Amino acid sequence: MVKDNVRKSEEAIAPEKFAADLELEVVFAPKEDIVFRSTATNRPGLLFAGFDEFFPEHRIQILGNAEMAYLESLDSEKRTEQLERLFSKGVPCVIVTHKHPVTEDMKHVAECHATPLFVSNESTSAIESDVVHYLTTALAASDTIHGELLDISGIGVLLIGDSGIGKSETALELVHRGHMLVADDLVEVKRIKNKIYGYPPKRIANLLEVRGVGLIDVEAMYGVGGVLNQKRIHLVIEMEQWDDNKSYDRLGNEDLTYDILGVKFQRVVVPVSAGRNLAVVIEAASRNFRLKSMGRDALDELSYRLMEKNRPEDTDFD
């Protein structure tokens, strides 16, 4: 379970960006960013009924069919009074669903309290789901890792290692072999529901830097099938320079891990030396990881074969 201290406490998003991301119509938006502190939404029916003791002012407020029908049933003075009760709470923003027309008095109250006001074409349940998903990602704990992130046969593989070890060149070879690039050099990671997702920084998305060649537009060169804009991480492969004095894992029984935002991943160390086809090795390591996750372990198979070989044959006393 994700601990509370893993999630960011707040996230500031420009009203125009928030509206564009969720396909909302902007009725009123102040110049200041909207500060979000919760992934949940609220419908202020109880507040309109006069009960505001436990009102969650830190949540986005949704006005659906019931709330709008209630407000429309009131005369102008009573409606303004109820709107004042809502907008004076300092809520992050208010979203009107089902494309209900916004009255001038609602817009005026929103402007007086500098509260963003939006309209959605979607149903209340749909926009609530969209908002929760959007804010869950926005408020997720995040970090930046130096490395390459690829989708290799469906496995999210993070390549790490010292600068100049050949990560980008290996990533290029893997893309050439039919796999997909997510991010080169810098990987933005977020923890969502105890899972880690990686994204490319927007400024360098789809670009791959290869020493001696320069920047390569992977999407233009290999098509849309050569890139992804996000991928869940499953495996970490560390590339390190071969050291003759170091003993490397030959059976795959080392229990190495790598921590990303409190989530531990299996880490495989791949030594780099002249003549090794690293793309093939990393491809094999990824597919072997998939087989292990399905219960197929080559080391267990070897142990079973050795046990069978050393088992004494049955003696026939007949």
Side-chain angles (χ1 to χ4, degrees):
M1 186 174 67
V2 180
K3 298 180 180 179
D4 291 339
N5 59 5
V6 172
R7 182 187 297 164
K8 289 189 290 187
S9 59
E10 63 180 44
E11 179 74 8
I13 302 174
E16 294 77 12
K17 182 181 186 311
F18 178 73
D21 290 344
L22 290 171
E23 299 181 349
L24 304 174
E25 175 189 337
V26 179
V27 178
F28 168 73
K31 295 181 180 180
E32 296 78 14
D33 291 347
I34 307 174
V35 178
F36 296 103
R37 297 183 175 86
S38 172
T39 61
T41 63
N42 182 65
R43 299 181 67 175
L46 283 176
L47 180 69
F48 290 157
F51 185 80
D52 63 352
E53 186 173 351
F54 298 103
F55 180 74
E57 65 276 356
H58 56 286
R59 297 182 181 180
I60 292 176
Q61 304 299 310
I62 308 290
L63 299 181
N65 285 333
E67 292 80 12
M68 292 303 291
Y70 168 72
L71 291 172
E72 290 168 7
S73 70
L74 304 176
D75 59 42
S76 178
E77 183 178 347
K78 284 288 187 180
R79 183 166 56 246
T80 301
E81 180 182 327
Q82 291 288 33
L83 291 171
E84 282 284 348
R85 178 175 291 177
L86 171 62
F87 283 87
S88 64
K89 292 291 185 180
V91 298
C93 67
V94 175
I95 301 176
V96 177
T97 63
H98 293 281
K99 203 173 175 57
H100 280 287
V102 174
T103 58
E104 285 299 321
D105 51 358
M106 182 184 292
K107 182 179 180 181
H108 175 71
V109 173
E111 291 174 350
C112 289
H113 293 281
T115 302
L117 177 60
F118 307 102
V119 173
S120 172
N121 293 329
E122 301 289 341
S123 66
T124 303
S125 58
I127 197 63
E128 284 180 325
S129 176
D130 290 346
V131 166
V132 169
H133 177 75
Y134 180 84
L135 292 181
T136 296
T137 302
L139 291 171
S142 61
D143 199 358
T144 301
I145 298 175
H146 287 278
E148 315 288 316
L149 180 58
L150 299 109
D151 180 308
I152 301 178
S153 300
I155 301 296
V157 179
L158 176 66
L159 298 182
I160 61 173
D162 294 337
S163 179
I165 198 70
K167 298 186 297 297
S168 295
E169 289 80 359
T170 302
L172 177 60
E173 175 63 21
L174 286 165
V175 172
H176 189 70
R177 292 175 64 86
H179 305 292
M180 291 180 282
L181 175 73
V182 181
D184 170 57
D185 191 39
L186 290 176
V187 182
E188 295 179 353
V189 293
K190 289 190 174 185
R191 176 173 175 169
I192 302 174
K193 293 185 178 179
N194 216 27
K195 299 173 183 176
I196 303 297
Y197 293 85
Y199 310 81
K202 290 184 179 180
R203 290 178 295 180
I204 58 174
N206 304 336
L207 299 180
L208 184 64
E209 180 190 356
V210 179
R211 285 178 172 82
V213 176
L215 288 176
I216 294 175
D217 188 329
V218 176
E219 183 177 1
M221 185 174 293
Y222 293 94
V224 294
V227 294
L228 277 179
N229 58 13
Q230 73 169 45
K231 181 65 182 178
R232 180 186 170 190
I233 297 175
H234 301 92
L235 174 67
V236 177
I237 295 181
E238 181 178 3
M239 298 169 59
E240 69 171 37
Q241 196 64 43
W242 187 291
D243 185 351
D244 291 333
N245 297 319
K246 183 176 179 178
S247 176
Y248 292 101
D249 184 15
R250 299 182 64 183
L251 297 177
N253 58 349
E254 287 188 354
D255 188 19
L256 303 177
T257 60
Y258 187 81
D259 186 281
I260 304 176
L261 297 172
V263 178
K264 292 188 181 298
F265 293 90
Q266 179 183 342
R267 176 169 60 93
V268 176
V269 177
V270 174
V272 177
S273 64
R276 294 199 85 193
N277 192 328
L278 294 175
V280 173
V281 173
I282 290 171
E283 190 177 56
S286 304
R287 291 180 174 176
N288 191 49
F289 172 83
R290 176 184 283 278
L291 284 173
K292 285 184 177 180
S293 66
M294 297 170 62
R296 298 281 301 277
D297 192 328
L299 184 59
D300 290 342
E301 178 67 19
L302 175 61
S303 300
Y304 176 77
R305 292 177 185 178
L306 292 175
M307 289 174 60
E308 286 292 308
K309 180 180 180 181
N310 296 326
R311 179 180 297 173
E313 296 182 0
D314 293 336
T315 304
D316 188 356
F317 293 100
D318 294 337

